[in-house]
């Protein structure tokens, strides 16, 4: 199979198996990045938060290196750090997130200002039957 069809029920399981197997190949060379691939990827999304820009840039670069042989490509980057985004140039697109805006991530919302994940509930008023 050349490509994984995401409409089939087993697609997430297959993607995670291949992702983990690919990360295992790099466990000796880049242990922190290999663990990041296993722990912070969900299908085609990668979410990572580090202690400083240097750490995030290093992990992101190593994750790209680990994913490439498995043909997993991270194309879009979002960050609340201009420094991190400037390092993720090339063919991918980078977006500086507006600090006051919540970004939707994997069904949750990321608050860039505090670097927190949260839920945002939106309630709609329903029409009453008379």
């Amino acid at each position: 199979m050349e490509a994984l069809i995401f409409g089939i029920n087993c697609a997430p399981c297959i993607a995670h198996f291949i992702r983990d197997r690919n990360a295992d190949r790099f466990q000796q060379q880049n242990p922190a990045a290999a663990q990041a691939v296993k722990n912070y990827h969900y299908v085609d999304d990668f979410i990572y938060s580090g202690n400083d820009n240097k750490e995030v840039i290093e992990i992101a670069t190593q994750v790209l290196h680990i994913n490439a042989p498995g043909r997993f490509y991270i194309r879009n980057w979002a960050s609340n750090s201009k420094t991190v985004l400037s390092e993720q140039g090339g063919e991918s697109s980078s977006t500086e997130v507006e600090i006051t805006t919540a970004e939707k991530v994997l069904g949750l919302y990321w608050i860039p200002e505090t670097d927190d994940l949260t839920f945002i509930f939106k309630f709609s008023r329903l029409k009453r039957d008379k």
Side-chain angles (χ1 to χ4, degrees):
M1 195 159 53
E2 291 288 320
L4 181 59
I5 302 165
F6 279 98
I8 57 176
N9 290 340
C10 59
C13 181
I14 293 169
H16 283 202
F17 175 80
I18 298 301
R19 174 208 66 197
D20 289 352
R21 184 165 232 191
N22 189 53
D24 288 340
R25 294 174 34 204
F26 293 89
Q27 186 64 41
Q28 296 293 346
Q29 294 169 275
N30 300 322
Q35 276 309 115
V37 168
K38 288 181 174 185
N39 294 336
Y40 304 116
H41 252 295
Y42 179 74
V43 187
D44 60 345
D45 287 324
F46 177 73
I47 302 171
Y48 184 81
S49 181
N51 294 320
D52 56 45
N53 288 337
K54 183 180 176 189
E55 175 192 343
V56 172
I57 291 165
E58 186 175 314
I59 291 292
T61 301
Q62 291 175 0
V63 165
L64 286 172
H65 174 72
I66 288 171
N67 282 342
R71 294 189 179 178
F72 289 99
Y73 303 111
I74 300 175
R75 292 186 185 94
N76 300 308
W77 295 92
S79 178
N80 54 1
S81 167
K82 288 182 182 182
T83 306
V84 171
L85 289 176
S86 69
E87 292 292 323
Q88 302 308 324
E91 293 181 23
S92 64
S93 65
S94 301
T95 306
E96 182 183 359
V97 176
E98 195 175 318
I99 296 296
T100 59
T101 305
E103 287 283 315
K104 193 164 184 182
V105 178
L106 293 175
L108 299 173
Y109 287 87
W110 171 49
I111 312 296
E113 184 176 17
T114 59
D115 204 18
D116 290 324
L117 292 174
T118 187
F119 293 99
I120 295 178
F121 297 100
K122 296 177 182 176
F123 298 100
S124 299
R125 184 172 292 277
L126 300 176
K127 292 182 181 180
R128 287 185 151 183
D129 290 337
K130 292 185 180 186

